[in-house]
Amino acid sequence: MNENNKRYWKGIEEFTNDPEFVKHAGKEFPEYLPVGNDEGGSSRRDFLKLMGFGVAAASLAACEAPVRRAIPYLNQPDTIDPGIPNYYASTYLQGGDYCSIVVKTREGRPIKIEGNKPSKVTMGGTSAQVQASVLTLYDKERLDGPRKEGSAISWENLDKEITEQLASVSSTGGQIRIVTNTILSPATLRIIENFKDKYPDATVITYDPASSAGILQANEANFGMRVLPSYDFSKAGTIVSLGADFIGTWISPVEFAKQYSKTRKVNAKNKKMSRHYQFESNLSLTGANADYRSPLKPSDEGDLVIGLYNLIASMAGENTVSGGKPDFRYLKKAANDLWRNKGRSLVVSGSNDPDVQILVNGINSMLGNYGSTISFNGYASYRKGNDKVMNGFIDDVKSGNVGAVIFYNCNPVYNHPRGAELAEALKEARLTITTSDRMDETASSVTYVAPDHHFLESWNDAEPKQGYFSLSQPTISPLFNTRQAQESFMTWSGNGGDFFNFLKEFWRTTMYRESETFGFQYFWDKTLQDGIYESENTEKSSVPLQEIDAQAAAASIVQNYKAGNGFELVLYYKVAIGDGTQANNPWLQEMPDTITKAVWDNYVTISQADARELGITSELGLTNMVNLTIDGRTAKLPVIIQPGQANGTIGLALGYGRTKAGKVADGVGFDATPWITSINDYAYYAVTSGVQLEVTGDLYQVAQTQTHQTFMGRDNVVQETTLKEYKKNPSAGRRHPHIATWMNEEKSLTPAEVTLWKGHKYPDHHWGLMIDLNSCTGCSACTIACQAENNVAVVGREEVINRREMHWIRIDRYYSSDASLDDLSGLEKASENPEITFQPMMCQHCNHASCETVCPVAATTHSTEGLNMMAYNRCIGTRYCANNCPYKVRRFNWFKYHDNKQFDKNLSMNNNLGKMVLNPEVTVRSRGVMEKCSLCVQRIQAGKLAAKIERRTTTDDDFDTACASACPADALVFGDMNDAESKISNMLKIKNY
């Protein structure tokens, strides 16, 4: 920008003007059509992965014309009106991950998930994983019935054999273990207690792949409560995060992103915002949003937390502790800001070390944050796992002390660092069972598989935070011969019955109050309709900080955090793939990573300085392969040179390397879970010594989108400034271009005055989508929401490399650095710790759209309501519009993937299950046409029709685009700019918003 003297760049290729990048940038889009390989080349392999998913990777949804035969109901269900969607409030539960949702169904099939706005926990927000979970429902890799030793068995015989063997194990004094991830359902916990009444030797073992056991242990030591507190980022003026990716993957990112965004919204009426400091090794999504970020090694984490503790203790007049150092970049500045905001600040740490968390508790206590930004009233239940207990369980199984093991919807053989030991030890147990929905790594190691329903087929409840409840209800009949896991426990304990009846009776006896005016049935129906119930009986009590031994914690930290020789490895979770549970979902595999913009792979991230020293190069994703060796185990991985990576560290994502997830996920990436180490028996997601990195002579093409759709040197797309400058001048950072002279006249003209077109008039509606870039975190929930709503195709890794991704909305990630660092010599310094800007980019629906000017067949036109429209059956695919679009948001549909002759016919048209995810309100597109964001015109039309039927004018409640409704940060606002009462109009009225 001219005002701030910055240079913006999407990737290293753009910074260095790599010749290959320049060549592709000049072409704007690929010009060739790759030929299929009958021998089974990479394109075919990618396609088989997609087709094997069962939904044809949503390519069917985007390319296959819908069935044209109209078959009437013989007996039409009274709950279904053809063509009219039904909505059901429900709950997304995945281990300890939680979101209150609303499910849209068409003709009895779920097709879209929205956030449930009345929820005070997630407040209408969602995430990419929540949005994509509807596709997992239609996964053909799910089991179609129970299994014994891999072969089909009837439910009757399975129940008979399991019941007999459980009785035998119990009668002979054998130990029974139920292994599970965090259970948020109170009703399920009650059923397990009933199971334990039947089998007194049964014990529940809870673990979480992304463990927070260290926080639980520290809180038990400091407060006498082994729970997570309730964090409130919306009340914090200063936020300091020590490696906690709370916007991306840490504990409850949907909830935290919603809170965080409230402190980042700035306009002429509100010129205050929070100040955020991030200290971390990898560049995380949260770090990319920070105001001040400091890269550091994992071995420095101990010195960092002790240094911060001592700085705050000195200000508070408290005793300091031994060790630590305060000379980390921005640490003293962060401490001063924290102290200035006592009582309205927040310090969080992503560490799983109880000693680190004890010092963090001490820091927050000295700052007076308890009762303000941190509270134990309405404490959270997201993570209940106990690392020590889980390790003890594995030791017991290895010792032959466990007679029966039931794995409840968990996969420790894959996602626990001692999974290989567990798989081998399970051979010694007399009875092994899992309720997994597929033959995953754990299911393949046990005798019996009693597959659970998908959550969209299930009844359930949840208590994510103390006093905050929600219900889950089935939105479709079970697609396969599965059974809800709770009913399996009921059957095996001899109680039998239907889980729905149990759930309803459980709520009658525990949630319902006799004082309710209209009786229990009304209470139940109302709660089911709302999806949530927030108890008024939540205990309100302060939890005083107990006496802590900060010096002992510091001494332990000094002992455990020591730098080794060579590189340090940092293990992390990606926003899309997470712990790998949904890795078989192609929407998530093809979602560009929020930072690297890579898809369909995991890789080693390394700093520019370390890459130069090792001789590693990366040109448009073509990069060196390296051999990464730790404890005698070697992985051959590609490298991505990542700006912002701490020197001396490398990053590697967990959640990859699946072997039993399904055709989409199997073989994608490398499983790094066995490299999770421990500190005092608590999982530690780093390796600080013994890391060997060897550069090979092999090259690998990483599929990245970060430098696709270049703006060809246009520098007016990103506009930003500092809060200090904004307070002085609300127009700071903005460009107001003028044409100094026109036809030799001295008059200064604006671009609106120099046009070939007459102005458009919008007599009725004028639709607009406003994006608050200060609120957008870059989480990409909008990308998956748009994909689900608009039948956007998955194209596969090879086609992404060919620059043919189809997403209608992308999140551009820009690095920025001082404009003086504009040559190769400045690359290393510019990459050391650049600032990051995220910008959602979709069709802008320009008033004078450049695409409309050049289309030879008028396939793209302008509506009377301000929308840029596409007539697909008129488009002949010239791509003139894409070439002329300044924002590069138009997509050319290259293939009909599902029936192309080069692909395996046996997997093309024989699988109709996946077509159930189609949104029938959106036209499916065929090969050879352009497609792009329509501002969800189908939703606009539905809102207008609803208002017309009710004989009223439209309101904001009638309209929302898929991207805006999914956003957990409320960064996107859609509405009618001609409606003076609409939210978007009111925002535009705020001068200089």
Side-chain angles (χ1 to χ4, degrees):
M1 306 315 310
N2 294 338
E3 289 87 344
N4 57 25
N5 196 34
K6 278 186 177 181
R7 182 189 178 193
Y8 294 87
W9 39 290
K10 282 188 175 182
I12 291 172
E13 302 92 339
E14 186 173 357
F15 187 97
T16 60
N17 282 320
D18 180 87
E20 281 294 308
F21 165 76
V22 173
K23 180 180 73 174
H24 284 286
K27 287 183 177 180
E28 298 286 338
F29 43 72
E31 294 292 339
Y32 61 93
L33 187 68
V35 178
N37 182 356
D38 291 334
E39 299 299 319
S42 57
S43 295
R44 182 174 186 273
R45 285 198 299 271
D46 279 349
F47 178 77
L48 294 182
K49 287 180 181 180
L50 304 182
M51 298 306 297
F53 180 73
V55 71
S59 296
L60 289 174
C63 301
E64 169 70 358
V67 177
R68 291 181 172 83
R69 296 187 302 274
I71 302 175
Y73 288 109
L74 181 61
N75 295 299
Q76 180 175 325
D78 58 7
T79 59
I80 293 178
D81 292 316
I84 305 299
N86 289 338
Y87 296 87
Y88 299 90
S90 193
T91 302
Y92 169 86
L93 291 173
Q94 185 68 64
D97 296 337
Y98 169 88
C99 191
S100 181
I101 61 175
V102 175
V103 184
K104 177 183 179 180
T105 68
R106 279 294 304 267
E107 286 72 55
R109 55 190 175 87
I111 62 171
K112 182 68 175 64
I113 288 176
E114 307 283 350
N116 191 10
K117 294 182 179 179
S119 169
K120 291 184 179 178
V121 179
T122 52
M123 294 172 280
T126 61
S127 67
Q129 290 206 30
V130 173
Q131 288 290 333
S133 62
V134 67
L135 189 58
T136 306
L137 170 66
Y138 304 114
D139 189 350
K140 280 286 288 184
E141 299 290 342
R142 292 175 56 203
L143 287 170
D144 59 2
R147 296 287 188 272
K148 176 185 179 182
E149 296 178 344
S151 301
I153 185 176
S154 68
W155 279 108
E156 182 181 9
N157 289 337
L158 177 136
D159 291 336
K160 181 175 181 294
E161 293 181 21
I162 288 178
T163 303
E164 290 175 353
Q165 293 185 49
L166 282 172
S168 175
V169 170
S170 182
S171 64
T172 57
Q175 299 295 308
I176 300 172
R177 297 290 182 266
I178 301 171
V179 183
T180 176
N181 297 146
T182 292
I183 299 175
L184 295 178
S185 166
T188 302
L189 293 173
R190 176 65 61 84
I191 282 179
I192 292 177
E193 287 301 315
N194 294 343
F195 181 90
K196 291 166 65 177
D197 291 340
K198 173 72 173 181
Y199 305 105
D201 292 326
T203 303
V204 177
I205 309 295
T206 303
Y207 83 101
D208 293 303
S211 177
S212 295
I215 304 178
L216 301 179
Q217 180 61 33
N219 289 342
E220 185 173 36
N222 296 157
F223 305 104
M225 301 176 66
R226 195 177 187 277
V227 296
L228 294 174
S230 180
Y231 299 101
D232 193 344
F233 290 85
S234 68
K235 296 179 180 178
T238 300
I239 300 166
V240 175
S241 171
L242 312 179
D245 185 13
F246 59 84
I247 296 175
T249 60
W250 187 68
I251 298 181
S252 184
V254 174
E255 176 186 359
F256 298 155
K258 182 72 72 170
Q259 297 169 354
Y260 179 79
S261 68
K262 295 180 186 300
T263 71
R264 312 292 283 183
K265 295 184 183 298
V266 180
N267 55 47
K269 292 184 177 180
N270 175 35
K271 296 184 179 181
K272 294 181 179 180
M273 60 182 287
S274 63
R275 182 172 288 179
H276 172 195
Y277 295 85
Q278 186 82 7
F279 300 86
E280 61 184 8
S281 302
N282 297 330
L283 177 58
S284 69
L285 182 62
T286 304
N289 283 276
D291 300 301
Y292 299 95
R293 180 180 177 273
S294 180
L296 76 164
K297 293 182 176 181
S299 58
D300 290 331
E301 183 181 3
D303 284 337
L304 174 74
V305 69
I306 294 175
L308 182 59
Y309 181 92
N310 284 340
L311 287 171
I312 299 299
S314 298
M315 297 175 188
E318 301 286 344
N319 294 328
T320 59
V321 297
S322 300
K325 55 184 180 182
D327 57 351
F328 292 98
R329 188 180 185 186
Y330 300 134
L331 186 60
K332 291 181 179 179
K333 182 177 179 65
N336 290 331
D337 274 347
L338 287 170
W339 190 251
R340 279 193 293 268
N341 284 274
K342 287 192 302 180
R344 50 184 306 271
S345 60
L346 181 58
V347 180
V348 293
S349 171
S351 173
N352 196 40
D353 183 355
D355 293 317
V356 169
Q357 295 295 345
I358 284 173
L359 292 190
V360 171
N361 288 349
I363 293 169
N364 281 310
S365 177
M366 289 185 287
L367 291 170
N369 292 334
Y370 288 100
S372 174
T373 57
I374 310 176
S375 175
F376 283 91
N377 294 322
Y379 58 79
S381 306
Y382 304 117
R383 299 288 185 269
K384 302 177 185 176
N386 191 316
D387 294 349
K388 287 189 173 182
V389 171
M390 183 63 182
N391 283 320
F393 157 73
I394 296 175
D395 292 337
D396 287 342
V397 177
K398 291 178 66 175
S399 301
N401 296 329
V402 177
V405 183
I406 303 174
F407 296 100
Y408 171 49
N409 292 358
C410 62
N411 188 12
V413 170
Y414 165 72
N415 58 30
H416 191 275
R418 298 179 64 188
E421 295 179 52
L422 178 60
E424 185 65 26
L426 287 174
K427 298 175 182 178
E428 305 302 320
R430 292 161 57 186
L431 175 63
T432 53
I433 311 166
T434 182
T435 62
S436 176
D437 71 338
R438 66 194 64 221
M439 290 299 295
D440 60 22
E441 291 83 353
T442 299
S444 300
S445 302
V446 304
T447 303
Y448 296 98
V449 184
D452 193 6
H453 293 331
H454 188 271
F455 81 92
L456 291 174
E457 302 168 324
S458 305
W459 289 100
N460 214 340
D461 64 352
E463 187 182 14
K465 302 175 76 171
Q466 181 196 24
Y468 296 84
F469 300 90
S470 64
L471 283 171
S472 179
Q473 59 180 315
T475 56
I476 190 172
S477 297
L479 298 176
F480 306 110
N481 184 25
T482 55
R483 181 174 70 187
Q484 191 145 2
Q486 289 88 339
E487 291 187 2
S488 293
F489 281 105
M490 293 169 68
T491 301
W492 301 335
S493 62
N495 296 318
D498 179 76
F499 178 62
F500 167 71
N501 293 329
F502 179 94
L503 177 66
K504 192 172 180 180
E505 183 60 27
F506 176 78
W507 272 61
R508 183 195 298 274
T509 57
T510 58
M511 311 295 178
Y512 174 66
R513 298 187 303 276
E514 295 295 338
S515 59
E516 290 282 351
T517 306
F518 300 105
F520 172 73
Q521 189 61 46
Y522 174 83
F523 165 79
W524 172 260
D525 291 342
K526 182 68 165 59
T527 304
L528 198 59
Q529 181 181 25
D530 295 341
I532 57 171
Y533 170 66
E534 293 166 357
S535 173
E536 297 176 0
N537 296 328
T538 300
E539 181 182 353
K540 302 293 182 183
S541 60
S542 60
V543 181
L545 184 70
Q546 298 177 2
E547 189 71 26
I548 65 171
D549 193 344
Q551 187 63 58
S556 177
I557 290 172
V558 170
Q559 180 67 28
N560 288 323
Y561 291 81
K562 296 179 180 178
N565 296 322
F567 284 101
E568 298 184 11
L569 172 67
V570 183
L571 301 172
Y572 68 99
Y573 291 101
K574 287 186 179 180
V575 172
I577 300 300
D579 63 14
T581 301
Q582 289 198 82
N584 205 52
N585 190 314
W587 286 353
L588 294 175
Q589 288 284 1
E590 194 156 297
M591 188 191 97
D593 179 70
T594 53
I595 300 299
T596 66
K597 297 302 173 183
V599 301
W600 290 102
D601 233 322
N602 75 329
Y603 35 79
V604 168
T605 56
I606 193 170
S607 72
Q608 178 66 44
D610 289 333
R612 176 187 53 77
E613 193 168 319
L614 292 171
I616 294 173
T617 60
S618 178
E619 298 177 356
L620 288 179
L622 189 63
T623 182
N624 293 99
M625 297 284 284
V626 297
N627 287 326
L628 176 61
T629 303
I630 301 173
D631 292 333
R633 184 171 181 254
T634 300
K636 190 173 184 179
L637 295 160
V639 177
I640 284 183
I641 301 173
Q642 178 57 58
Q645 182 83 26
N647 291 335
T649 71
I650 55 177
L652 180 60
L654 298 161
Y656 286 87
R658 297 295 303 272
T659 59
K660 302 285 186 178
K663 292 180 180 178
V664 171
D666 289 352
V668 176
F670 175 79
D671 179 16
T673 305
W675 284 340
I676 297 174
T677 57
S678 66
I679 290 181
N680 297 328
D681 289 333
Y682 290 88
Y684 180 53
Y685 298 89
V687 182
T688 57
S689 63
V691 177
Q692 301 176 37
L693 195 68
E694 176 191 9
V695 182
T696 73
D698 298 330
L699 297 177
Y700 184 88
Q701 182 75 57
V702 178
Q704 287 177 279
T705 65
Q706 64 175 354
T707 50
H708 295 187
Q709 295 93 40
T710 172
F711 293 111
M712 297 293 291
R714 303 175 182 97
D715 62 353
N716 63 340
V717 177
V718 179
Q719 301 185 21
E720 63 176 356
T721 188
T722 64
L723 182 62
K724 181 179 180 180
E725 292 300 318
Y726 179 78
K727 288 179 177 179
K728 295 178 182 177
N729 176 16
S731 293
R734 297 190 178 191
R735 298 208 43 192
H736 300 282
H738 290 268
I739 300 174
T741 60
W742 177 251
M743 297 182 65
N744 298 320
E745 295 181 12
E746 295 183 358
K747 180 182 178 182
S748 179
L749 302 175
T750 66
E753 295 173 293
V754 183
T755 176
L756 298 174
W757 301 95
K758 294 180 180 180
H760 291 289
K761 294 182 179 180
Y762 305 110
D764 191 3
H765 302 286
H766 187 193
W767 306 110
L769 179 65
M770 176 179 284
I771 305 174
D772 183 352
L773 297 182
N774 220 45
S775 299
C776 175
T777 64
C779 73
S780 297
C782 55
T783 300
I784 304 301
C786 175
Q787 189 157 18
E789 174 70 23
N790 294 296
N791 301 332
V792 174
V794 169
V795 302
R797 176 178 174 273
E798 193 72 20
E799 291 306 297
V800 173
I801 291 173
N802 290 334
R803 306 161 69 83
R804 293 173 176 165
E805 64 273 14
M806 295 296 292
H807 294 129
W808 284 8
I809 178 173
R810 67 179 190 266
I811 307 296
D812 288 338
R813 183 265 300 117
Y814 293 91
Y815 303 116
S816 60
S817 53
D818 193 304
S820 63
L821 304 173
D822 61 355
D823 57 15
L824 190 59
S825 62
L827 174 60
E828 196 167 302
K829 186 170 181 59
S831 299
E832 183 179 325
N833 192 24
E835 294 183 11
I836 315 296
T837 303
F838 293 104
Q839 185 172 57
M841 185 58 64
M842 71 295 288
C843 176
Q844 303 297 296
H845 295 267
C846 311
N847 270 344
H848 300 301
S850 54
C851 56
E852 297 169 17
T853 308
V854 297
C855 182
V857 293
T860 179
T861 57
H862 209 76
S863 80
T864 58
E865 297 180 357
L867 296 180
N868 177 254
M869 311 291 285
M870 279 296 304
Y872 294 123
N873 63 343
R874 187 184 296 166
C875 176
I876 60 174
T878 63
R879 293 177 289 164
Y880 295 162
C881 56
N883 187 59
N884 217 37
C885 174
Y887 301 103
K888 303 306 162 197
V889 292
R890 304 178 74 86
R891 304 285 177 261
F892 182 71
N893 197 324
W894 283 88
F895 288 116
K896 293 177 69 176
Y897 292 90
H898 64 286
D899 63 357
N900 196 299
K901 301 299 182 184
Q902 65 180 321
F903 298 132
D904 192 331
K905 295 179 182 179
N906 294 327
L907 290 173
S908 58
M909 293 301 295
N910 293 336
N911 183 3
N912 292 319
L913 175 64
K915 297 179 183 180
M916 295 178 73
V917 82
L918 279 167
N919 182 358
E921 299 164 10
V922 179
T923 304
V924 291
R925 283 80 64 189
S926 187
R927 172 180 174 174
V929 302
M930 298 300 305
E931 56 183 81
K932 56 143 193 99
C933 162
S934 67
L935 283 186
C936 292
V937 65
Q938 69 279 4
R939 292 187 172 208
I940 294 174
Q941 294 302 110
K944 289 162 62 177
L945 179 60
K948 182 178 180 179
I949 291 173
E950 297 173 13
R951 298 188 177 184
R952 58 174 175 80
T953 58
T954 58
T955 67
D956 272 349
D957 293 336
D958 294 318
F959 310 104
D960 212 354
T961 57
C963 54
S965 66
C967 181
D970 297 323
L972 295 90
V973 177
F974 176 77
D976 182 2
M977 294 183 288
N978 279 356
D979 179 1
E981 301 302 318
S982 68
K983 184 176 180 181
I984 193 170
S985 293
N986 288 324
M987 293 172 71
L988 290 170
K989 289 174 186 175
I990 302 175
K991 187 179 180 181
N992 297 314
Y993 182 84

